[in-house]
Amino acid sequence: MPTTLPQLRRHAIARTLLAPVALPLALERLGFVQADPLRAPARAQDLTLRHRVAGYVAGDLERRYPELGIEEDFFVNYGFLGARHHALMHPRRVRVRWSPARQAKADAVLAFVRERGAVHPREVDAHFNHGKVTNWFGGSSNASTELLDGMHYRGLLRVARRDAGTRVYAAREPWPELADRSDVRARMDALVDLIVAKYAPLPAATLHDLVNRLRFAAPQWAADRTRALAHAKKRLAHAHVDGIDWYWPAGEDPASAPEPAQRAWLLAPFDPLVWDRRRFERFWGWPYRFEAYTPAAKRRLGHYALPLLWREQVVGWANVGVEAGAMRVEVGFVGPRIGEPAFAAAMDDELHRMHAFLGLAPLATAGHAAAA
């Protein structure tokens, strides 16, 4: 029997929204967790992990980061990877070389970090007084912070921990050079496999785009992307569905995906299930947009709209906030408001889970879904 779009949709849900487990195992399953600094009502990495980690509370990843054997770095986006996957991208070589003056500043900062063990950006700024620079948004940033970011990306530093959300850096030992070209190809193939394991099933156009983004993860091997993509298409399971080629890991069978549970899920904007906006429209028939950086007057869904999955359909969205210790929820629907009792009960359960995740005072009664 040919693969169908509903089968692909159920498979996408089933393979990522698994039963919650301990945090280390959840990180291993995901492979990569995209990060975002906005907190509305929590950071994207926490909103992603809350569905996949038993008893997860916002901030657990930051609190436990030093003990988890993971790294912060840029993959296809910025986020968190296990040490094994992180090592695949290094030694990283960037195309634009620093000037001798900037390299001298980096060398001095690296020596300072090695002497201190771990440093906050303000310590570097206080010691070197690098001044200010214009950032990507046209505003002003500390030059020390920008230099530390560049040193981190080049593999000279690692994030040792975060203090109140700010990266604290430690020096990293130099990465060993690769033995030969076959090692490069093996690493690029493994990075593509990490992409597919995270985001499958993937439309061909999205697979192409994500492999292309490996130019940020491993710019030194960017020339190998075309080969890596072609090799992946030969290795992966695939089907032509509704005019589009789809790809997923060999050995998985979309037709075997179970019927989704009668549950409501409020998903992070960068959750692997909804990250690909192209696939989102194919699966659910409407355009979801992340509007945090959109002027308020032009927003349709809200500042930080969380896609609302009910059974196997994304039926709307919710904006969740905390005011004076109380959770506030505004729910919107793509179609008519759902009046099914089962949905009301499932939504109430989800809001109770969100409430516990945010670490708010225990709820005395139910009824949040109706109030929303």
Side-chain angles (χ1 to χ4, degrees), residues 36-43 47 269-270 277 288-307 317-322 330:
D36 186 80
L38 294 180
R39 185 180 296 171
R43 294 189 174 96
L47 290 166
F270 309 119
R277 308 303 192 237
Y288 168 74
R289 297 290 182 266
F290 179 59
E291 298 176 327
Y293 301 105
T294 301
K298 296 183 178 181
R299 291 174 186 153
R300 293 178 52 253
L301 309 182
H303 171 252
Y304 207 87
L306 307 177
W317 61 91
N319 286 276
V320 180
V322 178
E330 295 179 359

Side-chain angles (χ1 to χ4, degrees), residues 6-7 9-14 17 257-265 273 284 309-313:
Q7 288 175 344
R9 183 174 60 228
R10 290 185 192 123
H11 185 51
I13 295 170
L17 291 176
E259 290 283 336
Q262 291 224 121
R263 176 171 169 174
W265 313 73
L273 185 59
W284 293 296
L309 177 69
W310 163 235
R311 297 174 179 150
E312 66 178 284
Q313 296 296 327

Side-chain angles (χ1 to χ4, degrees), residues 319-348:
N319 286 276
V320 180
V322 178
E323 299 176 9
M327 191 170 72
R328 296 288 181 262
V329 184
E330 295 179 359
V331 180
F333 294 91
V334 179
R337 189 177 187 88
I338 301 174
E340 230 181 300
F343 170 77
M347 192 65 187
D348 197 65

Side-chain angles (χ1 to χ4, degrees), residues 256-281:
S256 67
E259 290 283 336
Q262 291 224 121
R263 176 171 169 174
W265 313 73
L266 289 175
L267 303 170
F270 309 119
D271 191 282
L273 185 59
V274 298
W275 179 89
D276 178 12
R277 308 303 192 237
R278 182 187 289 114
R279 188 181 78 169
F280 187 104
E281 289 195 45

Side-chain angles (χ1 to χ4, degrees), residues 45-212:
Q45 53 268 36
D46 291 322
L47 290 166
T48 296
L49 289 167
R50 79 178 187 93
H51 294 302
R52 298 163 172 92
V53 178
Y56 191 86
V57 175
D60 277 352
L61 181 63
E62 181 174 317
R63 284 187 287 270
R64 296 185 57 189
Y65 175 86
E67 69 186 58
L68 290 170
I70 60 175
E71 298 286 342
E72 285 193 41
D73 204 347
F74 204 100
F75 177 45
V76 293
N77 288 290
Y78 189 84
F80 302 85
L81 306 92
R84 174 171 57 91
H85 289 131
H86 178 256
L88 295 172
M89 305 184 293
H90 293 275
R92 184 179 282 153
R93 299 285 182 266
V94 299
R95 295 179 62 183
V96 179
R97 298 178 66 87
W98 277 337
S99 68
R102 190 162 181 79
Q103 184 64 58
K105 288 182 179 180
D107 291 343
V109 169
L110 183 58
F112 178 76
V113 176
R114 288 190 187 283
E115 179 183 343
R116 296 293 183 97
V119 299
H120 191 285
R122 66 169 170 261
E123 297 176 69
V124 177
D125 193 54
H127 185 83
F128 292 96
N129 192 24
H130 288 136
K132 301 286 186 179
V133 294
T134 301
N135 59 35
W136 288 101
F137 301 101
S140 179
S141 297
N142 286 332
S144 295
T145 298
E146 186 186 68
L147 180 59
L148 289 166
D149 286 346
M151 294 173 68
H152 176 215
Y153 182 69
R154 285 164 172 77
L156 302 173
L157 302 175
R158 66 177 297 270
V159 176
R161 66 180 189 277
R162 283 183 178 249
D163 285 350
T166 300
R167 289 186 287 254
V168 175
Y169 294 98
R172 183 184 292 283
E173 293 303 314
W175 292 94
E177 295 295 331
L178 299 193
D180 53 36
R181 187 66 186 169
S182 63
D183 195 359
V184 171
R185 291 180 174 180
R187 288 182 178 223
M188 285 293 283
D189 288 343
L191 290 172
V192 174
D193 287 346
L194 178 57
I195 287 171
V196 175
K198 167 82 175 182
Y199 295 111
L202 284 162
T206 303
L207 177 61
H208 177 275
D209 290 350
L210 284 167
V211 172
N212 193 42

